[in-house]
């Protein structure tokens, strides 16, 4: 096969470290579940009725994913940049219109993640009925810790916490999720042909709040993993 004559070099793939191996997980697409903890939904001014509602999703570019352990600048065009700690699901196989039982076998592993949000821009977009893209699709705004292989395990309970400069900001339990991991994968697969390398951020507990340049963030999920990340000065 002849070499492809690109006009410029294609971007390098986005990859994440995997616990216990030198191999890296290539990131495909990145999905997020909104309002999957009732207390967080309440602090955002709404409630969720699982009996009559389905999960709400949004996306970020894969290029917005950054591995934990480093730092990134405070983003432009916001005065209210918020942290949201989440369980991240990394898929190892694909599927379309799968059942919750079948969804379990699609999971490669889990990680602790941060969904960073320009909250002021999100509030303005909501008030005007506009899309949230610039509020959520933030450069370096999807922070992911080391991937822990699932080995058939579905985390249905365990503490999830976020600390800023050593002080707890968010604390909850995975058992508080409105939709479980298998339910989320099954529902999302009704919209998309899910693929290996897709990441799913599964929602955040209450306590979201602003960060400032210089803040050190530490996320922890029991039996899943941790992450650390620093907010650097703006460019």
């Amino acid at each position: 096969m002849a070499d492809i004559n690109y006009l410029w070099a294609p971007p390098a793939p986005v990859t994440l470290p995997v616990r216990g191996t030198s191999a890296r997980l290539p990131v495909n697409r990145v999905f997020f579940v909104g309002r999957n903890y009732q207390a967080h939904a309440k602090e955002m001014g709404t409630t969720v009725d699982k009996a009559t509602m389905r999960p709400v999703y949004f996306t970020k570019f894969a290029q917005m994913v950054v591995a934990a352990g480093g730092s990134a600048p405070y983003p432009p065009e916001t005065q209210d940049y918020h942290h949201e700690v989440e369980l991240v699901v990394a898929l190892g196989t694909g599927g379309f219109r799968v059942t919750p039982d079948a969804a379990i076998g699609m999971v490669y592993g889990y990680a602790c993640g941060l969904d960073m949000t320009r909250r002021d821009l999100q509030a303005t977009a909501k008030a005007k009925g506009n899309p949230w893209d610039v509020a959520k699709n933030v450069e370096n705004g999807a922070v992911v810790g080391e991937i822990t292989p699932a080995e058939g395990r579905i985390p249905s309970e365990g503490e999830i916490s976020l600390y800023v400069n050593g002080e707890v900001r968010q604390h909850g339990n995975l058992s508080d999720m409105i939709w479980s991991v298998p339910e989320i994968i099954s529902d999302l697969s009704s919209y998309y042909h899910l693929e290996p390398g897709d990441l799913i951020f599964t929602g955040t507990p209450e306590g979201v709040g602003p960060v400032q340049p210089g803040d050190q963030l530490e996320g922890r999920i029991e039996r899943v993993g941790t992450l650390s990340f620093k907010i650097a000065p703006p460019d």
Side-chain angles (χ1 to χ4, degrees), residues 72-75 78-83 116 164-165 169 209-217 229-234:
Y74 191 94
T78 182
Q79 302 298 318
D80 195 21
Y81 194 42
H82 276 213
H83 57 74
M116 303 300 294
V164 178
N165 302 325
R169 287 279 191 89
V211 294
Q212 301 297 330
D215 283 348
Q216 182 70 41
L217 283 60
F229 197 70
K230 187 170 185 177
I231 307 300

Side-chain angles (χ1 to χ4, degrees), residues 122-154:
Q122 184 186 37
T124 298
K126 285 182 176 180
K128 295 182 177 181
N130 291 337
W132 300 358
D133 294 56
V134 295
K136 285 289 189 178
N137 199 23
V138 182
E139 292 174 337
N140 305 299
V143 185
V144 184
E146 187 179 51
I147 304 292
T148 299
E151 298 177 341
R153 182 173 59 92
I154 297 292

Side-chain angles (χ1 to χ4, degrees), residues 36-38 87 155-160 172-180 223:
N36 197 27
Y37 290 75
Q38 200 67 258
L87 172 70
S156 58
E157 62 88 22
E159 291 187 354
I160 175 171
N173 198 290
L174 300 179
S175 62
D176 297 330
M177 289 199 298
I178 298 168
W179 287 280
S180 68
R223 295 186 295 278

Side-chain angles (χ1 to χ4, degrees), residues 5-212:
N5 183 22
Y6 293 110
L7 290 174
W8 49 80
V14 178
T15 66
L16 294 168
V18 178
R19 180 178 298 176
T21 177
S22 61
R24 297 185 68 89
L25 184 143
V27 177
N28 188 35
R29 296 171 295 184
V30 193
F31 300 97
F32 294 75
V33 181
R35 301 192 301 270
N36 197 27
Y37 290 75
Q38 200 67 258
H40 172 60
K42 184 177 181 180
E43 73 180 353
M44 298 303 292
T46 188
T47 58
V48 177
D49 179 6
K50 186 177 181 179
T52 61
M53 301 171 67
R54 293 176 68 177
V56 173
Y57 304 102
F58 59 92
T59 65
K60 298 188 183 188
F61 302 150
Q63 290 82 359
M64 304 310 184
V65 172
V66 59
S71 65
Y74 191 94
E77 299 298 326
T78 182
Q79 302 298 318
D80 195 21
Y81 194 42
H82 276 213
H83 57 74
E84 300 185 19
V85 65
E86 311 202 7
L87 172 70
V88 181
V89 179
L91 299 186
T93 61
F96 180 57
R97 294 177 177 165
V98 300
T99 65
D101 286 343
I104 296 172
M106 294 170 58
V107 178
Y108 174 80
Y110 305 98
C112 184
L114 290 172
D115 166 23
M116 303 300 294
T117 305
R118 292 175 172 122
R119 190 70 72 200
D120 45 359
L121 301 191
Q122 184 186 37
T124 298
K126 285 182 176 180
K128 295 182 177 181
N130 291 337
W132 300 358
D133 294 56
V134 295
K136 285 289 189 178
N137 199 23
V138 182
E139 292 174 337
N140 305 299
V143 185
V144 184
E146 187 179 51
I147 304 292
T148 299
E151 298 177 341
R153 182 173 59 92
I154 297 292
S156 58
E157 62 88 22
E159 291 187 354
I160 175 171
S161 304
L162 191 282
Y163 297 78
V164 178
N165 302 325
E167 296 185 2
V168 64
R169 287 279 191 89
Q170 292 183 260
H171 183 265
N173 198 290
L174 300 179
S175 62
D176 297 330
M177 289 199 298
I178 298 168
W179 287 280
S180 68
V181 169
E183 289 172 331
I184 291 167
I185 296 172
S186 175
D187 186 73
L188 187 60
S189 77
S190 68
Y191 296 102
Y192 299 95
H193 291 76
L194 297 179
E195 300 174 353
D198 286 346
L199 301 182
I200 306 171
F201 284 62
T202 59
T204 193
E206 70 272 22
V208 301
V211 294
Q212 301 297 330

